[in-house]
Amino acid sequence: MAPQRRGAPKAPEGSGAAERRRPSSTKSVRAPREVQRKWLRTSVLGACAVLAGLLLWSSMGGDDGVTEVLAHRGEILPGRFIEVPCSEDYDSHRRFEGCSPRKCGRGITDTVITRDEAQRIRSIAEKGLSLGGSDGGASILDLHSGALSVGKHFVNLYRYFGDKIQTVFSEEDFRLYRDVRQKVQLTIAQAFGISASSLYLTKPTFFSRINSTEARTAHDEYWHAHVDKVTYGSFDYTSLLYLSDYLDDFGGGRFVFMEEGANRTVEPRAGRVSFFTSGSENLHRVEKVQWGTRYAVTIAFTCNPDHGIADPVFT
């Protein structure tokens, strides 16, 4: 049998030895506990401060990858253009002399479309999208093809709603849409030194309405980085007309040009036009919308007349 270890003899109750040991034992336990409490309070306060900062940054639409703002929401830009080297994307497509990009870049202007025109254009989007809307966060309205998000699918609004469309839209709506398209087309032509008549509207050209609702299908996942010329082979020049204001109408949702080691962002404001050549030199994405609703219209142009589409007609 293994030898048993005997404990230290207990001091008799009430003895001076026991009484003398108690105070020193209490102090030795109390000191570490006080240190732990102070450390815990400091840690909790620090974590709360970090969390509050992250929530604020998120609500402001922050993105730690954005290193430069090309266009602030409070600026009114008569025109800003940044030239960048063209990618090789255009070499695999038929070239059209005097139109296909030789000069590449991106531009922003706030003086081509007025805020009043932007509000009226937005009302067209609101009327059309009131007929449907995606179950997820991104809804599409294409007046050219008739495509409209409804639930998890698309319908042709002209066939689906028939004559009801004439009670939703007006001839003036379509006239304004055409006038705005022409102004944007002329702006792109002037910026890139080409003839406006060499540009053709192409598909998809569409309204978008984005909110913070969770994505339900791949069509709702608008935030992935992409190249328009790769996604849509017909695109040569892409433009966006913003119809709502960053931080007033929505948070997040900024447009981000992605470059190695540096992202450059455009903060939407109603009436602002952002345009760029559609190749890999302008890889881009849109930040997730954190709150509110973001409206815009994408207007795309091609140099190939075979890929051109007509303006929508009110009938």
Side-chain angles (χ1 to χ4, degrees):
M1 175 181 286
Q4 294 182 349
R5 180 180 298 174
R6 294 186 179 183
K10 291 184 179 180
E13 289 187 11
S15 70
E19 292 299 322
R20 284 194 298 271
R21 276 200 300 271
R22 283 192 192 112
S24 60
S25 175
T26 303
K27 285 180 181 177
S28 65
V29 172
R30 183 184 298 151
R33 286 180 178 173
E34 286 299 322
V35 172
Q36 288 177 349
R37 288 195 189 100
K38 289 180 180 178
W39 180 87
L40 184 60
R41 282 197 298 270
T42 303
S43 299
V44 170
L45 289 173
C48 288
V50 170
L51 181 58
L54 289 173
L55 289 173
L56 176 61
W57 182 245
S58 175
S59 69
M60 294 289 283
D63 186 332
D64 57 10
V66 174
T67 57
E68 180 184 344
V69 178
L70 293 181
H72 291 271
R73 68 187 184 107
E75 293 181 283
I76 300 178
L77 299 173
R80 178 171 292 166
F81 185 82
I82 299 92
E83 188 168 352
V84 298
C86 292
S87 64
E88 297 178 355
D89 295 339
Y90 310 99
D91 296 339
S92 60
H93 295 266
R94 181 181 172 188
R95 280 195 168 272
F96 293 83
E97 196 59 38
C99 181
S100 295
R102 298 286 184 185
K103 172 185 177 182
C104 293
R106 57 195 69 144
I108 307 104
T109 178
D110 294 314
T111 57
V112 171
I113 306 300
T114 67
R115 288 178 69 84
D116 176 66
E117 287 174 320
Q119 180 57 49
R120 288 159 57 203
I121 284 285
R122 173 173 164 169
S123 72
I124 299 174
E126 290 173 333
K127 288 187 290 187
L129 288 164
S130 70
L131 299 173
S134 170
D135 286 345
S139 298
I140 297 301
L141 168 65
D142 183 338
L143 292 179
H144 303 268
S145 69
L148 172 68
S149 301
V150 176
K152 294 182 176 65
H153 308 284
F154 293 94
V155 301
N156 184 310
L157 67 92
Y158 299 120
R159 288 201 296 264
Y160 195 81
F161 295 100
D163 293 341
K164 182 181 178 181
I165 292 300
Q166 295 186 10
T167 66
V168 176
F169 302 116
S170 68
E171 179 63 41
E172 175 57 29
D173 290 336
F174 283 73
R175 186 182 303 111
L176 174 63
Y177 184 87
R178 181 178 64 250
D179 290 346
V180 166
R181 186 271 303 165
Q182 290 174 339
K183 289 181 179 180
V184 172
Q185 182 171 342
L186 182 60
T187 299
I188 291 173
Q190 291 173 339
F192 291 100
I194 59 179
S195 170
S197 63
S198 68
L199 291 173
Y200 301 88
L201 194 65
T202 194
K203 62 182 181 181
T205 285
F206 57 93
F207 289 104
S208 60
R209 182 186 70 193
I210 305 175
N211 58 36
S212 59
T213 303
E214 183 181 353
R216 297 290 189 269
T217 71
H219 296 294
D220 297 319
E221 297 181 10
Y222 56 86
W223 55 82
H224 300 296
H226 64 280
V227 174
D228 288 346
K229 189 68 176 173
V230 175
T231 306
Y232 312 107
S234 64
F235 280 35
D236 288 308
Y237 300 91
T238 307
S239 68
L240 293 103
L241 168 59
Y242 298 108
L243 306 176
S244 49
D245 295 322
Y246 171 64
L247 294 186
D248 287 334
D249 299 314
F250 63 92
R254 294 179 296 181
F255 186 95
V256 183
F257 290 107
M258 303 180 68
E259 297 180 3
E260 187 175 352
N263 291 340
R264 293 175 169 84
T265 185
V266 175
E267 297 179 350
R269 70 187 306 272
R272 171 166 288 169
V273 177
S274 173
F275 58 91
F276 50 93
T277 45
S278 305
S280 298
E281 68 278 1
N282 283 311
L283 173 69
H284 61 274
R285 66 182 181 87
V286 173
E287 293 176 334
K288 287 186 178 182
V289 170
Q290 303 294 334
W291 55 267
T293 305
R294 177 191 190 270
Y295 284 91
V297 55
T298 298
I299 307 173
F301 295 95
T302 183
C303 295
N304 189 339
D306 294 339
H307 294 154
I309 59 174
D311 288 312
V313 178
F314 183 75
T315 55

